């Protein structure tokens, strides 16, 4: 059985305002520093300087990016939940509301299933927006003018009824599936498009324009639909038959958002689950050929994740034909993750990528009876040297890597675009 050693290579989710301001100042400093560096370059022509000055005048003193969003709306599961699960009661997994969750960046637990920030946090940073507040805190009166996070840890793309009919409903962490999250959005839309309260900034009398300037992320979601089934003995063959249903639920939700006014949408695929410590622990094999010799991951489970992703990409292509006015971008989480699984040390993960940073022992440091945060578990000293956080979720360092890969456009796909609308903001992601 390969291990990492075989493959060296109250829950507001906002950071304190002064910290956020410091990051904003840091971003502006980098913009200014880049401009000064260009000015000092001997080969810069007068024509170039003239064009730069026009750009500065046109865009209010800074060189703007081609696409700047004013708000972000996110749907998904534990890969992007910033607090809804805890705010909903979190009966299934309350430990994410305690240390060491959140230790790296926020220095407190926030409801994120990681040691720090998630991909959605880095995307918000890149566009100069505050970290998204969970919907359930907005419902309780907090401000959501720059967007809202509807994601819930444990959520599924399919409705809970699907799982209860197959007698696995008792395993669900939450009943707040993708359709529930859509209902939340519709309720929020109704309130912000009719509210006369100035606190929601736009008082969106011009609601259509407000959503046209918003970025919508639909996922990652769908992974739990498979996790619940795999963990009770479902076979890959059986689960392949479920993939079209999951993909249909995701694309149907995406279409619904477009009909509600969204025009800029990012739909992520699934991660390589065969590299996850929980899968490596639950599905060990004595047959070495079941493991990818390049990285120690389980080949069949990664092939399944790729199958889901390919089906999703095909379905999004069809959706683009139906809604030609919308930009529907596929975000490949699988690709950048496989880069650091193939070569951990090259990408800065000096302690490896397969074993969990926080866990209770075992070949991959994942022990279901001593999961991260429970009695018997310990957290590593340097989460940034690991890709895997708790056996199921990734570390902030891994999420940053994926976010930067998406932001540079290498792993985003929309045939109608010559470049990703995210790519011009890659340098605005805060450093470690």
């Amino acid at each position: 059985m390969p291990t990492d050693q075989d493959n060296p290579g109250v829950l507001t989710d906002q950071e304190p305002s002064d910290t956020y301001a410091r990051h904003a100042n840091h971003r502006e400093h980098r913009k200014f520093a880049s401009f000064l560096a260009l000015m000092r370059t001997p080969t810069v022509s007068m024509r170039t300087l003239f064009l730069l000055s026009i750009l500065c005048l046109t865009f209010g003193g800074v060189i703007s990016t081609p696409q700047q969003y004013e708000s972000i709306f996110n749907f998904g599961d534990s890969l992007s939940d910033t607090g809804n699960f805890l705010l909903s009661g979190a009966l299934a997994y309350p430990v994410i509301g305690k240390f060491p969750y959140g230790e790296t960046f926020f220095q407190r637990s926030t409801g994120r299933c990681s040691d720090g920030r998630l991909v959605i946090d880095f995307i918000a940073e890149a566009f100069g927006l505050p970290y998204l507040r969970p919907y359930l805190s907005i419902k309780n009166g907090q401000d959501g003018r720059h967007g809202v996070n509807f994601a819930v840890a444990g959520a599924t793309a399919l409705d809970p009824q699907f799982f209860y009919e197959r007698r696995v409903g008792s395993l669900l962490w939450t009943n707040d599936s993708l359709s529930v999250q859509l209902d939340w959005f519709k309720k929020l839309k109704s309130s912000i498009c009719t509210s006369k309260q100035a606190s929601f900034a736009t008082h969106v009398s011009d609601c259509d324009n407000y959503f046209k300037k918003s970025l919508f992320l639909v996922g990652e979601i769908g992974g739990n639909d498979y996790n619940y089934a795999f963990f009770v003995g479902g076979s890959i063959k059986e689960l392949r038959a479920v993939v079209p249903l999951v993909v249909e639920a995701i694309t149907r939700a995406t279409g619904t958002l477009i009909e509600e006014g969204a025009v800029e949408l990012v739909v992520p695929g699934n991660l390589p689950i065969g590299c996850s410590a929980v899968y490596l622990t639950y599905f060990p094999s004595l047959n070495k050929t079941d493991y990818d010799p390049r990285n120690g991951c389980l080949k069949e489970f990664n092939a399944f994740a790729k199958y889901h992703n390919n089906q999703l990409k095909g379905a999004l292509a069809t959706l683009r034909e139906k809604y030609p006015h919308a930009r529907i971008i596929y975000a490949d989480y699988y690709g950048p993750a496989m880069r650091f699984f193939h070569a951990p040390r090259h990408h800065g993960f000096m302690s490896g990528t397969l074993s969990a940073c926080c866990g209770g022992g075992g070949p991959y440091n994942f022990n279901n009876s001593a999961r991260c945060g429970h009695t018997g578990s310990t957290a590593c000293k340097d989460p940034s040297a690991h890709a895997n956080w708790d056996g199921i979720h990734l570390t902030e360092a891994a999420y940053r890597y994926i976010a930067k890969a998406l932001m540079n456009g290498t792993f985003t796909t929309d045939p109608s675009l010559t470049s990703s609308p995210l790519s011009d903001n890659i340098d605005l992601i805060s450093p470690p």
Side-chain angles (χ1 to χ4, degrees):
M1 179 188 304
T3 65
D4 257 349
Q5 286 68 38
D6 298 317
N7 182 39
V10 171
L11 303 168
T12 68
D13 59 334
Q14 308 296 291
E15 61 172 317
S17 58
D18 59 334
T19 307
Y20 184 81
R22 188 163 62 251
H23 283 173
N25 291 337
H26 178 65
R27 287 193 290 268
E28 293 305 317
H29 175 74
R30 277 188 288 170
K31 289 180 182 178
F32 186 63
S34 298
F35 181 75
L36 289 179
L38 184 60
M39 290 286 286
R40 296 189 191 103
T41 303
T43 57
V44 174
S45 66
M46 289 303 295
R47 180 175 180 272
T48 301
L49 294 178
F50 174 77
L51 290 174
L52 284 172
S53 66
I54 293 297
L55 284 170
C56 288
L57 289 171
T58 302
F59 296 110
V62 295
I63 301 173
S64 293
T65 59
Q67 179 64 56
Q68 182 63 47
Y69 302 109
E70 296 181 359
S71 58
I72 299 175
F73 295 92
N74 181 75
F75 305 79
D77 55 25
S78 59
L79 269 64
S80 60
D81 182 6
T82 56
N84 282 315
F85 182 64
L86 286 186
L87 289 167
S88 69
L91 298 178
Y93 206 56
V95 72
I96 64 172
K98 304 175 183 178
F99 252 45
Y101 286 88
E103 67 174 18
T104 293
F105 180 76
F106 298 98
Q107 283 87 54
R108 59 187 175 86
S109 59
T110 63
R112 290 167 173 79
C113 295
S114 183
D115 62 304
R117 289 163 290 182
L118 312 175
V119 170
I120 186 64
D121 295 314
F122 290 114
I123 291 176
E125 279 188 9
F127 287 102
L129 296 173
Y131 300 128
L132 300 189
R133 294 188 181 277
Y135 168 75
L136 293 179
S137 72
I138 300 297
K139 182 180 177 183
N140 294 332
Q142 292 189 20
D143 186 13
R145 73 185 68 185
H146 294 299
V148 177
N149 195 342
F150 300 93
V152 184
T156 54
L158 298 172
D159 288 339
Q161 181 181 355
F162 175 87
F163 300 94
Y164 283 104
E165 288 175 351
R166 288 155 181 80
R167 299 181 181 180
V168 293
S170 61
L171 298 176
L172 299 180
W173 282 19
T174 179
N175 289 330
D176 295 329
S177 62
L178 184 55
S179 63
V180 171
Q181 296 174 32
L182 284 174
D183 287 341
W184 288 349
F185 170 74
K186 291 176 183 178
K187 290 178 182 176
L188 182 72
K189 178 187 175 184
S190 176
S191 68
I192 67 176
C193 291
T194 59
S195 171
K196 297 186 184 299
Q197 296 179 8
S199 62
F200 213 119
T202 51
H203 155 47
V204 192
S205 55
D206 192 0
C207 211
D208 287 344
N209 281 337
Y210 175 68
F211 290 122
K212 285 178 181 177
K213 296 176 182 177
S214 300
L215 176 65
F216 289 76
L217 285 94
V218 189
E220 179 279 331
I221 195 163
N224 289 322
D225 297 71
Y226 310 131
N227 292 339
Y228 292 126
F230 277 133
F231 296 162
V232 294
S235 69
I236 289 178
K237 181 179 179 181
E238 290 170 334
L239 268 294
R240 279 176 70 97
V242 177
V243 170
L245 301 178
V246 173
V247 168
E248 181 185 7
I250 297 170
T251 53
R252 184 170 60 245
T254 305
T256 297
L257 288 171
I258 294 172
E259 291 174 2
E260 292 289 335
V263 294
E264 302 270 349
L265 305 99
V266 173
V267 185
N270 282 349
L271 289 164
I273 58 175
C275 301
S276 175
V278 63
Y279 275 83
L280 289 163
T281 299
Y282 282 174
F283 306 104
S285 176
L286 297 176
N287 186 348
K288 290 186 177 181
T289 62
D290 289 339
Y291 296 90
D292 189 329
R294 297 171 298 174
N295 48 50
C297 302
L298 287 163
K299 292 190 292 186
E300 277 196 312
F301 285 103
N302 277 354
F304 176 85
K306 290 176 70 174
Y307 176 72
H308 165 91
N309 292 343
N310 288 333
Q311 293 294 306
L312 180 59
K313 284 187 281 188
L316 293 179
T318 301
L319 204 63
R320 291 186 190 105
E321 295 177 1
K322 184 177 180 180
Y323 300 105
H325 70 285
R327 298 207 294 186
I328 306 171
I329 303 161
Y330 172 75
D332 178 9
Y333 281 17
Y334 186 100
M338 287 308 295
R339 281 186 171 182
F340 58 68
F341 283 121
H342 284 332
R345 293 179 179 275
H346 177 74
H347 296 290
F349 298 101
M350 306 309 291
S351 296
T353 52
L354 301 184
S355 292
C357 163
C358 181
Y364 301 97
N365 199 31
F366 179 82
N367 182 343
N368 196 45
S369 62
R371 292 175 297 182
C372 181
H374 288 83
T375 302
S377 69
T378 58
C380 64
K381 292 182 179 180
D382 183 9
S384 68
H386 291 72
N388 193 298
W389 166 242
D390 60 4
I392 303 172
H393 309 98
L394 302 181
T395 59
E396 175 182 282
Y399 286 132
R400 176 189 286 106
Y401 184 95
I402 293 171
K404 293 194 76 169
L406 299 180
M407 297 298 286
N408 71 22
T410 306
F411 291 96
T412 52
T413 304
D414 177 353
S416 69
L417 299 176
T418 56
S419 65
S420 168
L422 305 180
S423 60
D424 295 283
N425 295 62
I426 183 173
D427 291 334
L428 303 186
I429 292 179
S430 67

